[in-house]
Amino acid sequence: MNSTGAVARSNSRITGISLWLAPRRIMMRKLLRQVTVVAFASLSLISASPADDTKAQRSTKSHPSAGLADKTNAQRSTKTHRAAGLAAKTNAQRSTKAHRLAIQVDQNDPAVMNLALNNATNVIEYYRAKGEDVDVDVVTYGPGLHMLRTDTSPVLDRIKSLKNSAFPSKIQFSACGNTKEGMEKKEGHPITVLSEAVIVPSGVVRLMELQEKGWSYVRP
């Protein structure tokens, strides 16, 4: 009986211990699971952090590049607009630039006089076709004054015709005053020039001053 009772008491103790340990084992397992979950979560966060940093760095690198590209494009656009503006300004200046031509006649030669009138006519018609105007001044002096004399001009009709048809361009026929006075003294009578002509003090000075003002110069 004593032996049997001892065994029974021993089994009872073992059973009690097992019952006492069972809940604690369950708690330990739960705790272990929680620790494992937390550990994995931490590892995931740690792994994600470098990836986020890398993405941020890539984004930071890409933004300066994009900004630089935008700046470059803006500069190119500005240069393009400036170039376009300069071209437009140049074209406007060219279109508004005055066309002016001085033609010298200093010979009493009908061929030279007709050539001078041909030059004047061609220039006027050329710019008329372009929708532009031109100023022409046929300056006569010395023997060339005969071109504008009413009594000796071989091209009187051509001068009147060109004067009337030049509009909207302008053509002037300048007669040297010095030459006119010298001819009058030599011939002993007054000399009359065409009504289309303008008497200037000196034909040579007239040509010089026109060229100083930027007029183009032609001598047939």
Side-chain angles (χ1 to χ4, degrees), residues 92-164:
Q93 290 175 342
R94 288 176 179 173
S95 64
T96 58
K97 182 179 180 181
H99 305 294
R100 299 173 297 181
L101 175 64
I103 301 176
Q104 173 182 327
V105 177
D106 60 354
Q107 302 177 57
N108 185 15
D109 184 345
V112 173
M113 297 176 187
N114 277 291
L115 183 56
L117 292 174
N118 289 343
N119 291 338
T121 301
N122 291 339
V123 169
I124 290 172
E125 291 181 351
Y126 173 81
Y127 284 109
R128 178 180 292 159
K130 296 181 64 176
E132 300 177 20
D133 302 338
V134 59
D135 291 344
V136 179
D137 194 339
V138 180
V139 182
T140 66
Y141 64 92
L145 183 64
H146 284 282
M147 180 179 182
L148 302 181
R149 287 179 55 162
T150 56
D151 57 340
T152 61
S153 175
V155 290
L156 186 149
D157 292 337
R158 285 200 65 187
I159 290 174
K160 291 184 177 181
S161 176
L162 181 57
K163 184 74 173 180
N164 293 331

Side-chain angles (χ1 to χ4, degrees), residues 27-79:
M27 292 179 63
M28 289 297 292
R29 288 175 183 175
K30 290 182 179 181
L31 181 61
L32 181 59
R33 289 176 184 175
Q34 292 177 353
V35 170
T36 303
V37 171
V38 172
F40 276 113
S42 300
L43 289 174
S44 298
L45 291 174
I46 293 172
S47 300
S49 180
D52 293 339
D53 292 341
T54 302
K55 290 181 180 179
Q57 290 175 353
R58 289 178 181 174
S59 176
T60 303
K61 290 181 179 179
S62 63
H63 284 304
S65 299
L68 181 60
D70 291 340
K71 184 178 180 180
T72 302
N73 291 334
Q75 291 175 343
R76 288 177 180 173
S77 178
T78 302
K79 289 181 180 179

